[in-house]
């Protein structure tokens, strides 16, 4: 079974609008971490935001926020006020409590921001 | 500045030759390094985990004799693709993990810039 699932292969958004990228996960660990990364066409992996399984508040980093719904096992990324430079591939990833440092990635979502 | 470097950033080689990719941790000692490969528009697939001074742990389906990993020091890990073939053409990315106790998110951002391998 997939541990991390991103069901949107591609998403389009108008500049300055908000967009939500979906991510669901599956783990039996109580302690885990969820991450979002941006990968532009250059290939570099850019860390965006982190949510710990015990964090009660949703994580926010500037225009990025993570909508963490633990009971539903979802960790959606919300990008507010989209910019043209946000066009990239986005990955959701999970670090399980028993896998020291090891990350499992979702399939990725290609986001295209239109002017 | 960059925390992790990879060399080369891109390489073209002929089928049957071997290629070595280096991953260096510039700012800290990395007890663990992870190697990923990524095909165009696909996810990162973990190939192996290397710990300094010990043998790498390969993921299921990854040929250890084809993808040789050496983590000889706390700042350098190398991935050698032996007898490369066109199907080995891919983007290879390393990630370094310093270990220890710290803010959990701070150690998950240290990726190398990647190496694009093309085998002709």
């Amino acid at each position: 079974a997939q541990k991390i699932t991103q069901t949107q292969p591609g998403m389009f958004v108008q500049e300055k609008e908000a967009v939500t990228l979906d991510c669901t996960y599956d783990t039996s660990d109580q302690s885990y971490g969820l991450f979002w990364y941006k990968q532009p066409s250059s290939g570099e992996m850019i860390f965006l935001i982190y949510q710990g399984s015990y964090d009660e508040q949703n994580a926010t980093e500037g225009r990025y926020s993570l909508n963490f719904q633990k009971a539903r096992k979802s960790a959606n990324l919300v990008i507010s006020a989209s910019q043209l430079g946000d066009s990239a591939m986005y990955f959701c990833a999970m670090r399980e409590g028993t896998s020291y440092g090891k990350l499992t990635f979702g399939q990725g979502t290609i986001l295209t921001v239109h002017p | 500045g960059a925390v992790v470097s990879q060399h080369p950033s891109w390489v073209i080689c002929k089928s049957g030759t071997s290629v070595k990719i280096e991953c260096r941790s510039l700012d800290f000692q990395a007890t663990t390094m992870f190697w990923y490969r990524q095909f165009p528009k696909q996810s990162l697939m973990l190939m192996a985990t290397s710990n300094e001074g010990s043998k790498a742990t390969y993921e299921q389906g990854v040929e250890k004799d084809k993808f040789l990993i050496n983590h000889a020091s706390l700042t350098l890990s190398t991935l050698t693709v032996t007898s490369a073939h066109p199907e080995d053409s891919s983007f290879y990315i390393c990630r370094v993990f310093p270990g220890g106790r710290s803010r959990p998110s701070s150690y998950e951002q240290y990726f190398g810039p990647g190496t694009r391998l093309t085998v002709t």
Side-chain angles (χ1 to χ4, degrees):
Chain A
Q2 286 278 3
K3 291 203 168 188
I4 292 279
T5 303
Q6 294 179 252
T7 57
Q8 306 155 314
M11 287 286 285
F12 295 88
V13 66
Q14 208 71 25
E15 195 178 7
K16 299 180 186 176
E17 298 290 314
V19 63
T20 297
L21 306 184
D22 294 342
C23 173
T24 57
Y25 60 92
D26 184 27
T27 180
S28 56
D29 284 353
Q30 296 301 307
S31 174
Y32 52 89
L34 297 159
F35 304 81
W36 277 93
Y37 296 90
K38 172 184 178 182
Q39 187 182 41
S41 56
S42 61
E44 62 179 316
M45 294 291 286
I46 302 169
F47 165 75
L48 296 178
I49 197 166
Y50 163 81
Q51 181 85 41
S53 58
Y54 294 118
D55 294 342
E56 295 187 350
Q57 299 214 338
N58 286 342
T60 60
E61 290 285 350
R63 295 187 298 111
Y64 305 107
S65 61
L66 199 152
N67 185 357
F68 182 44
Q69 298 192 33
K70 196 170 182 176
R72 296 180 60 188
K73 294 189 173 179
S74 74
N76 298 339
L77 176 71
V78 180
I79 305 175
S80 63
S82 297
Q83 302 172 356
L84 296 178
D86 293 336
S87 293
M89 191 147 188
Y90 288 79
F91 290 100
C92 179
M94 177 172 64
R95 181 199 66 216
E96 294 177 276
T98 54
S99 61
Y100 192 58
K102 185 175 174 179
L103 293 176
T104 302
F105 287 86
Q107 303 93 321
T109 296
I110 298 175
L111 175 67
T112 304
V113 181
H114 288 304
Chain B
V3 176
V4 184
S5 71
Q6 265 185 257
H7 179 80
S9 55
W10 60 271
V11 57
I12 301 172
C13 71
K14 291 188 175 180
S15 188
T17 61
S18 296
V19 175
K20 180 185 284 188
I21 301 170
E22 292 186 348
C23 175
R24 290 185 184 273
S25 176
L26 302 177
D27 282 2
F28 51 77
Q29 295 181 328
T31 55
T32 302
M33 290 188 179
F34 301 92
W35 285 95
Y36 298 85
R37 72 187 291 184
Q38 183 184 30
F39 293 109
K41 292 185 171 33
Q42 293 190 25
S43 185
L44 279 71
M45 300 304 298
L46 180 64
M47 298 175 68
T49 303
S50 75
N51 292 294
E52 186 265 339
S54 62
K55 288 185 178 180
T57 302
Y58 289 82
E59 295 298 300
Q60 193 173 9
V62 177
E63 300 174 57
K64 63 176 74 174
D65 293 331
K66 180 166 186 62
F67 299 99
L68 301 178
I69 291 171
N70 185 291
H71 192 159
S73 77
L74 287 170
T75 59
L76 174 64
S77 176
T78 59
L79 166 67
T80 301
V81 183
T82 62
S83 187
H85 287 96
E87 57 265 30
D88 299 323
S89 298
S90 188
F91 191 58
Y92 293 87
I93 308 175
C94 69
R95 183 169 74 89
V96 303
F97 186 75
R101 296 175 60 85
S102 182
R103 290 180 58 238
S105 65
S106 65
Y107 287 167
E108 268 68 18
Q109 58 187 304
Y110 301 125
F111 286 86
T115 296
R116 200 164 300 280
L117 169 64
T118 302
V119 185
T120 60

